[in-house]
Amino acid sequence: MNSSILLTHTSPHPLFSPFLNPRLPLRFKPPLSLSTKPSSLSLYKKYLNYKLKLKLISTVRCSASSPSPQFAQSPPPPPPLTANVFGDKRELTGLQSVVDSMSSSVRLFASVIVFAGAVVAGYGLGLRFGGSRNASIAGAVAVGAAGAGVVYALNSAVPEVAAVNLHNYAAECRDPLALRKEDVQAIADKYGVSKQDEAFTAELSDIYCGYVSSVIPPGSEELRGDEAETIIKFKNALGIDDPDAASMHMEIGRRIFRQRLETGDRDGDLEQRRAFQKLIYVSTLVFGEASSFLLPWKRVFKVTDAQVEVAVRDNAQRLYAFSLRSVGRDVDVDTLISLREKQKLYKLSDELAEELFRNHTRKLVEENISAALSTLKSRTRAVQTRQPIEELDKILEFNSLLISLKKHPDVSSFARGLGTVSLLGGEYDGDRKMDDLKLLYRTYITDSLSSGRMEEDKMAALNQLRNIFGLGKREAESITLDVTSKVYRKRLAQSVTAGHLEAAESKAAFLQNLCEELYFDAQKAVEIHEEIYRQKLKQSVSNGELSDEDVKSLERTQIMLCIPKQTVESAHADICGSLFEKVVKDAIASGVDGYDADVKQAVRKAAYGLRLTRDVAMSIASKAVRKIFISYIQRSRATGSRIEAAKELKKMIAFNNLVVTSLVADIKGESTDSDTTLEDPVTEVVESEEEEEWESIQSLRKVRPNKEKLGKQSQTDITLEHDLPERDRTDLYKTYLLYCLTGEVVRIPFGAQITTKKDDSEYVFLNQLGGILGLTDKEIVEVHRSLAEQAFRQEAEVILADGQLTKNKIEQLNELQTKVGLPSEYSQKIIKSITTTKMSAALETAVSRGRLSIKEIRELKEAGVELDTMISLSLRENLFKKTVDDIFSSGTGEFDEEEVFNKIPQDLSINSVKARSVVHELARSRLSNSLIQAVSLLRQRNHSGVVSSLNDMLACDKAVPSKPLSWEVPEELADLFLVYLKSDAVSEKLSRLQYLLDISDSTAEALRGMRDRALPDGVAGEEEFVF
């Protein structure tokens, strides 16, 4: 094996390659080729001689990292290989000519003769001139050696002659593939050489290297795909081994590298990289899996495995893309199988092959789309109206073919990428081109419906076309609906004109059949029917009214198109209602003075001429009138005073009486002269309780006068009941009620003001205002009652300022009740509320200041005073603590558990459990304090105080039984017991006190013996104590 070794060099980057990393600068010296055999230098010299004859690498600009290369032109056809690939014939030298003329046996016989003749001649010459035997032998040796040299020279020229003949044999072949392995072997056999001979092997390598260099296209050309196959055939014909052939591939790589150094510019650098990539790819195909160890790209050229894969991938893509150019719209099974074989041959992955195939099919479809659009947008498209449809049919046929091939049972042996064509990633993938695709889709739908019906196969074709164009479902449905709607209208018009629809027994079945023929949504058809009816209705009311003929025509249309009654009424309400609304607004805009006979006539004509129902007409009028009412109310709220607000409300009442009432009567067709036409808002039958309130409150009696005083009544059909909240409506009513009660303020000179009272006529307007606001009788009564309560409360609080209810004050309150007209039950509630509030404040003050005892609390409860509402819980708890504390400091020594734990908490309405805990806490703290207080009083000689303190201690012990108490001076405890003995206390208390003071029985007996002795005053008294 002729191996090549690259000299060691350094690189600044671990993945640096001068061929596949174009942006990295070259920082190492060019490698030199060394050989382990003596003939390597001669082989290198031969390559230098061939460099001027062979143009191996040409200019081409290409990027090695392009993942999806595009090709503007196909690779050129392979150039004919001439004898110049291997160079011209070589001439033999004199000796080589002699050797060439001899056969192996002749050359061997001649060698024997020459050597034997030389020996014989040398022996004879030695014998002749030396005269002795030794001289003869020496002459034979000398001349024989010369003859041996001649024989050696003759035989050593044999491999060179064989190499020259091999070269001339290759040079004579016009087609290098015509070389036969038998001929090469015959040359070797002829001269008795083997392929292990260096000269012969070197010539074989030269021939192979020259052929490979000529087969691989220069940098400006693309691979044709047959390079690897022809190289393999030629290699087999020469009989060269794979290791020797692989070394030649590496040597070609070194040549490309050296030429890159000689070029020295950027363009040349790119050319050499492209040439190097093609060499890697072809070499990989030639040697197959053995290329990984036969071709040390990484070791020699610092090329990574990833870079080798990129070179293989890019060139495989180019070759496969070129193969795809022969695939047309009539692709068949054989073509797909051939493509699959080429894919495997080119070592292209299934993913990339699928992508390239889909790109190719997309380009074919794009050609059809461009042709269709060109014709469709052309000014002379009227001449070629069918061409866009034909182009689209070609697309659909091609797409169907690809889908059917994908379902073929042998699809696994087909080229990858079969299936529905997609425009994604192509020329028409974008929003700018979407309008063109929609135009084509619309054109195809229009052509499909040109016969007046939609065939089933056309529906399937439209679905395919939508998927190919990438249209969304809504977009496609919108276009389909637009086109189909026009065709449906046309078919419907033809059916009506020809009388087919009217003559049909079932109009619904006829229309349904029409929708089914067009694959048209029945709901959309209903919408079209409604639109047609509306258009006809607009035409009929163009003069402002509907005649009998128009009504009959509309009814005929309604029946033929099966339009529901609700739809008809809605259409009349919208179209006729808009006309009626205009008339109503004009009537309202005429104002109080402009609503004359002409306006009344226009309203009546519009109400009946447009054939509106009374409810619809009143609804339209109500909407317009309520807007005017709201404007009056807004101006009323915007005023700065109650008087001005009431005046604005009065204007609204006048507008209702003079304009709205007449408008409602004209719409209803009633006469406005009759007083009993319209209903009175307060004439409804109310309950007996409310009736009494109407009669009791004075302002209510004025609001409800006799019908003789009412005169012409106002309308109550249009109200603001649903436009304003109840609170806002009652506030507006209350504003005008106060205006009726207080009158109007008139300013006079010198800044004075006079309040003028209003007569009862204002209450009539108040009654009408209640009708406009939509207030019920109950709500009106509530407003009057609340106002009367407010007035009564203000005066009553002045009368009951001190909280005392006397006879005179009761008389004053009765007079006030009669004056205000408030029912007795409401006045009594107010009086009770005032007195309760005043009493509650007084009670809380008394409790907080400690002037209220539990006895007084019980008296108040017996009098019916609700302490729970008048005295807060915290004050009642404080009162309980104070009461218990008084018991523990009373000095009697008594404690009633039932009274303290149950009765007092019940009287104060506090929690008994919480009260018990309060008592226990107070008793514990008071017990120790009482002992301290008793000792203090003992030291002060206050014997009565001592007895009281000891009784308090006994009372605390009854509440919470205690253990014996301790004291620092036990003698003082004995003195306390002696003082208590002399107070004539009962035996139970004495025994309990003895226990609490921890006095023994003997000490107690001694103290009892001293009980009768008097206690002197002063110092003598102190000496009288035993301890």
Side-chain angles (χ1 to χ4, degrees):
M1 172 181 175
N2 293 331
S3 59
S4 299
I5 303 174
L6 188 66
L7 291 179
T8 305
H9 58 272
T10 59
S11 173
H13 193 277
L15 298 180
F16 172 79
S17 172
F19 298 99
L20 300 181
N21 286 327
R23 297 185 178 179
L24 295 176
L26 182 65
R27 297 191 179 180
F28 60 88
K29 296 181 180 181
L32 298 178
S33 176
L34 298 181
S35 178
T36 57
K37 298 183 179 181
S39 62
S40 296
L41 184 59
S42 62
L43 181 62
Y44 175 68
K45 292 180 179 180
K46 291 178 182 180
Y47 285 144
L48 293 180
N49 293 331
Y50 290 153
K51 187 172 66 173
L52 297 177
K53 298 179 181 180
L54 301 176
K55 185 176 183 181
L56 299 177
I57 306 300
S58 300
T59 305
V60 63
R61 301 179 64 88
C62 177
S63 174
S65 60
S66 176
S68 298
Q70 302 295 331
F71 313 103
Q73 60 182 3
S74 60
L81 297 178
T82 65
N84 289 331
V85 172
F86 307 110
D88 297 332
K89 283 187 175 184
R90 300 179 189 173
E91 297 295 336
L92 297 175
T93 61
L95 180 60
Q96 291 176 345
S97 300
V98 173
V99 174
D100 183 58
S101 61
M102 297 179 181
S103 63
S104 298
S105 58
V106 173
R107 186 175 63 253
L108 180 60
F109 181 73
S111 298
V112 173
I113 292 175
V114 170
F115 179 73
V119 172
V120 172
Y123 185 82
L125 291 174
L127 183 62
R128 182 178 178 181
F129 294 103
S132 65
R133 182 177 178 85
N134 293 332
S136 299
I137 295 173
V141 171
V143 176
V150 172
V151 171
Y152 176 78
L154 182 65
N155 289 324
S156 63
V158 172
E160 295 181 1
V161 172
V164 171
N165 278 275
L166 179 62
H167 174 81
N168 292 337
Y169 167 71
E172 289 176 355
C173 293
R174 305 298 299 177
D175 183 7
L177 294 178
L179 269 72
R180 297 187 305 167
K181 185 176 182 180
E182 293 79 6
D183 296 338
V184 175
Q185 187 64 38
I187 294 174
D189 294 342
K190 176 182 177 182
Y191 297 99
V193 296
S194 66
K195 293 182 180 180
Q196 301 299 325
D197 187 82
E198 293 183 0
F200 192 79
T201 302
E203 188 61 35
L204 285 176
S205 299
D206 286 346
I207 294 173
Y208 178 78
C209 183
Y211 181 76
V212 172
S213 299
S214 63
V215 168
I216 297 178
S220 60
E221 300 178 8
E222 297 291 344
L223 293 172
R224 296 177 298 276
D226 60 344
E227 290 84 358
E229 183 180 0
T230 56
I231 290 175
I232 292 173
K233 289 181 179 179
F234 188 78
K235 178 170 68 70
N236 294 333
L238 287 180
I240 189 171
D241 298 331
D242 284 349
D244 294 335
S247 65
M248 292 301 100
H249 285 259
M250 299 301 294
E251 186 63 30
I252 294 174
R254 294 187 183 93
R255 287 187 185 185
I256 295 173
F257 177 77
R258 288 192 292 270
Q259 288 183 357
R260 175 184 177 275
L261 296 179
E262 294 174 1
T263 302
D265 59 353
R266 184 176 181 82
D267 294 339
D269 183 66
L270 293 176
E271 294 170 6
Q272 309 313 319
R273 289 190 181 91
R274 178 68 180 279
F276 189 72
Q277 281 187 324
K278 288 189 287 187
L279 174 64
I280 291 176
Y281 176 66
V282 173
S283 301
T284 302
L285 295 183
V286 169
F287 298 104
E289 297 180 356
S291 61
S292 59
F293 58 86
L294 289 178
L295 302 172
W297 307 111
K298 181 176 181 181
R299 178 174 58 82
V300 177
F301 299 104
K302 300 300 181 181
V303 176
T304 63
D305 295 337
Q307 291 169 330
V308 173
E309 290 178 2
V310 169
V312 173
R313 182 196 66 192
D314 290 352
N315 285 279
Q317 284 182 278
R318 293 187 183 94
L319 288 176
Y320 192 73
F322 174 69
S323 300
L324 287 174
R325 293 179 186 180
S326 61
V327 178
R329 297 175 183 83
D330 55 348
V331 59
D332 54 9
V333 174
D334 296 336
T335 303
L336 294 176
I337 294 175
S338 176
L339 285 174
R340 178 61 174 169
E341 293 175 353
K342 290 182 178 180
Q343 176 199 339
K344 295 179 178 179
L345 177 63
Y346 298 155
K347 294 186 178 300
L348 185 65
S349 64
D350 289 348
E351 292 79 7
L352 294 176
E354 180 177 353
E355 180 182 357
L356 291 173
F357 189 87
R358 290 187 179 276
N359 291 341
H360 178 70
T361 56
R362 185 189 67 237
K363 290 179 181 179
L364 293 177
V365 172
E366 287 175 351
E367 292 176 1
N368 294 116
I369 293 175
S370 300
L373 287 174
S374 177
T375 305
L376 196 61
K377 295 181 179 181
S378 175
R379 295 182 178 180
T380 61
R381 62 181 179 181
V383 183
Q384 300 176 343
T385 53
R386 289 294 304 170
Q387 184 174 353
I389 305 301
E390 292 174 357
E391 295 293 337
L392 293 177
D393 286 336
K394 291 179 182 179
I395 294 175
L396 293 172
E397 183 180 358
F398 181 52
N399 185 69
S400 300
L401 177 61
L402 294 178
I403 294 175
S404 63
L405 289 173
K406 186 177 182 180
K407 299 178 181 179
H408 196 278
D410 298 332
V411 69
S412 59
S413 60
F414 291 171
R416 299 296 182 260
L418 295 173
T420 303
V421 180
S422 176
L423 298 180
L424 294 177
E427 178 183 356
Y428 292 94
D429 180 20
D431 296 337
R432 295 183 179 180
K433 297 292 184 178
M434 186 56 66
D435 293 338
D436 293 339
L437 297 178
K438 290 180 181 179
L439 177 61
L440 290 177
Y441 190 77
R442 181 184 294 274
T443 303
Y444 196 81
I445 295 177
T446 305
D447 181 76
S448 301
L449 293 171
S450 59
S451 61
R453 60 186 301 146
M454 176 69 76
E455 302 296 339
E456 187 175 356
D457 58 339
K458 290 294 184 180
M459 287 297 298
L462 284 172
N463 289 331
Q464 285 191 26
L465 197 62
R466 176 175 67 85
N467 294 333
I468 293 172
F469 287 171
L471 295 177
K473 185 176 180 181
R474 292 185 179 179
E475 294 174 328
E477 289 179 352
S478 176
I479 297 172
T480 304
L481 178 62
D482 185 25
V483 177
T484 312
S485 298
K486 295 178 181 178
V487 176
Y488 181 80
R489 288 176 181 272
K490 183 179 179 181
R491 287 284 306 276
L492 187 62
Q494 292 174 354
S495 301
V496 173
T497 304
H500 300 316
L501 179 58
E502 189 172 8
E505 294 181 1
S506 174
K507 275 65 175 180
F510 184 90
L511 296 173
Q512 181 65 30
N513 184 51
L514 183 59
C515 291
E516 291 176 355
E517 290 180 356
L518 297 175
Y519 286 86
F520 190 54
D521 187 9
Q523 186 61 36
K524 299 297 181 182
V526 171
E527 295 177 2
I528 292 177
H529 298 165
E530 181 180 354
E531 185 179 352
I532 293 173
Y533 186 86
R534 285 178 175 269
Q535 291 176 354
K536 191 173 184 61
L537 179 59
K538 287 181 181 179
Q539 295 174 358
S540 301
V541 298
S542 58
N543 58 351
E545 61 179 349
L546 285 174
S547 62
D548 294 338
E549 291 77 9
D550 294 334
V551 173
K552 292 180 180 179
S553 178
L554 289 172
E555 289 179 354
R556 176 173 171 269
T557 303
Q558 176 188 357
I559 294 172
M560 285 194 302
L561 299 181
C562 302
I563 303 176
K565 183 180 179 181
Q566 296 83 354
T567 304
V568 172
E569 291 178 354
S570 176
H572 280 264
D574 293 341
I575 298 173
C576 299
S578 61
L579 298 176
F580 182 71
E581 183 180 5
K582 184 177 182 301
V583 174
V584 170
K585 288 183 177 179
D586 293 340
I588 294 174
S590 62
V592 176
D593 299 329
Y595 198 85
D596 52 12
D598 295 336
V599 176
K600 292 169 65 67
Q601 182 62 28
V603 173
R604 288 177 176 269
K605 178 182 178 182
Y608 293 94
L610 294 175
R611 310 298 175 103
L612 292 172
T613 62
R614 177 176 293 186
D615 293 338
V616 174
M618 286 298 299
S619 175
I620 295 171
S622 175
K623 183 178 180 181
V625 170
R626 284 186 282 111
K627 288 183 179 179
I628 303 300
F629 284 165
I630 293 296
S631 64
Y632 276 113
I633 291 174
Q634 289 175 348
R635 289 197 296 269
S636 173
R637 290 173 174 174
T639 57
S641 64
R642 187 177 69 238
I643 303 299
E644 296 299 326
K647 289 181 178 180
E648 290 295 332
L649 294 177
K650 192 172 184 180
K651 292 179 182 179
M652 181 179 68
I653 297 170
F655 172 76
N656 179 65
N657 292 336
L658 299 177
V659 178
V660 180
T661 301
S662 300
L663 178 65
V664 172
D666 293 335
I667 293 174
K668 292 182 176 181
E670 300 172 347
S671 175
T672 58
D673 297 333
S674 175
D675 295 339
T676 60
T677 301
L678 301 175
E679 297 180 356
D680 188 0
V682 294
T683 57
E684 299 178 358
V685 178
V686 296
E687 298 179 359
S688 58
E689 183 177 347
E690 295 180 354
E691 188 72 23
E692 292 178 359
E693 293 181 357
W694 278 99
E695 297 298 333
S696 61
I697 302 177
Q698 184 179 2
S699 60
L700 275 176
R701 291 197 301 270
K702 293 180 181 180
V703 171
R704 193 181 187 186
N706 296 328
K707 291 186 178 180
E708 289 78 7
K709 297 181 181 180
L710 282 175
K712 180 181 178 181
Q713 297 180 351
S714 61
Q715 65 85 26
T716 56
D717 294 291
I718 303 176
T719 65
L720 298 175
E721 181 179 0
H722 302 292
D723 296 273
L724 294 175
E726 180 183 350
R727 182 175 180 180
D728 292 347
R729 291 186 284 120
T730 54
D731 288 345
L732 292 171
Y733 186 87
K734 185 182 293 185
T735 299
Y736 201 83
L737 176 58
L738 292 174
Y739 175 74
C740 295
L741 293 174
T742 59
E744 185 176 353
V745 177
V746 180
R747 295 183 180 273
I748 61 176
F750 305 104
Q753 294 181 352
I754 298 177
T755 301
T756 60
K757 292 289 184 181
K758 294 293 182 181
D759 55 15
D760 294 343
S761 62
E762 293 294 339
Y763 288 95
V764 177
F765 295 146
L766 180 63
N767 175 49
Q768 295 171 355
L769 177 62
I772 295 173
L773 296 175
L775 294 174
T776 62
D777 292 343
K778 184 177 181 180
E779 292 171 345
I780 292 174
V781 170
E782 186 65 29
V783 173
H784 284 265
R785 186 173 62 221
S786 64
L787 200 60
E789 289 178 354
Q790 182 179 355
F792 183 82
R793 180 179 291 275
Q794 290 177 354
E795 297 293 336
E797 286 181 350
V798 175
I799 295 173
L800 299 173
D802 56 355
Q804 302 295 327
L805 188 61
T806 62
K807 182 177 181 181
N808 293 333
K809 291 181 180 181
I810 291 175
E811 292 177 356
Q812 293 178 5
L813 292 173
N814 291 334
E815 292 177 0
L816 178 62
Q817 174 190 350
T818 304
K819 179 180 177 182
V820 176
L822 186 67
S824 176
E825 57 177 309
Y826 296 103
S827 62
Q828 292 300 322
K829 289 181 181 179
I830 294 174
I831 293 171
K832 183 177 180 181
S833 174
I834 295 173
T835 55
T836 301
T837 303
K838 298 290 185 181
M839 186 180 295
S840 175
L843 288 175
E844 287 192 356
T845 303
V847 171
S848 61
R849 294 182 180 180
R851 297 183 307 196
L852 194 65
S853 64
I854 189 63
K855 181 179 180 181
E856 294 170 341
I857 291 294
R858 288 171 176 168
E859 292 176 355
L860 290 174
K861 289 195 69 175
E862 292 176 357
V865 178
E866 297 179 358
L867 297 176
D868 298 350
T869 58
M870 292 186 178
I871 304 175
S872 64
L873 178 62
S874 60
L875 289 177
R876 282 183 275 126
E877 290 178 349
N878 291 337
L879 179 60
F880 178 76
K881 290 181 181 179
K882 181 178 180 301
T883 302
V884 174
D885 190 66
D886 292 342
I887 293 174
F888 288 152
S889 61
S890 61
T892 60
E894 300 296 333
F895 181 81
D896 189 354
E897 293 184 359
E898 179 67 21
E899 174 75 11
V900 177
F901 289 147
N902 296 323
K903 292 182 179 180
I904 296 178
Q906 184 177 1
D907 293 337
L908 295 177
S909 299
I910 61 177
N911 191 345
S912 59
V913 176
K914 186 176 181 180
R916 184 180 292 272
S917 64
V918 170
V919 172
H920 291 172
E921 183 179 356
L922 288 175
R924 292 188 185 95
S925 62
R926 188 70 180 176
L927 184 67
S928 58
N929 292 336
S930 298
L931 177 61
I932 296 172
Q933 186 177 4
V935 173
S936 176
L937 292 174
L938 177 65
R939 294 173 180 176
Q940 298 175 11
R941 306 294 190 275
N942 188 353
H943 296 166
S944 60
V946 170
V947 174
S948 297
S949 297
L950 292 176
N951 283 330
D952 293 340
M953 187 173 66
L954 291 173
C956 293
D957 179 67
K958 287 183 179 181
V960 181
S962 175
K963 295 179 181 181
L965 302 176
S966 60
W967 188 253
E968 296 178 355
V969 184
E971 293 79 0
E972 290 182 340
L973 296 179
D975 292 340
L976 290 176
F977 184 74
L978 179 61
V979 172
Y980 197 75
L981 280 174
K982 293 183 177 183
S983 65
D984 297 328
V986 295
S987 59
E988 293 180 358
K989 292 183 179 180
L990 284 172
S991 61
R992 187 62 184 172
L993 181 62
Q994 178 185 348
Y995 171 76
L996 292 176
L997 297 179
D998 196 16
I999 297 175
S1000 62
D1001 293 339
S1002 58
T1003 305
E1005 289 297 331
L1007 291 175
R1008 284 190 181 93
M1010 300 174 61
R1011 178 176 54 182
D1012 297 332
R1013 297 176 58 184
L1015 296 176
D1017 296 334
V1019 181
E1022 182 178 354
E1023 294 176 353
E1024 192 173 342
F1025 286 107
V1026 177
F1027 302 102

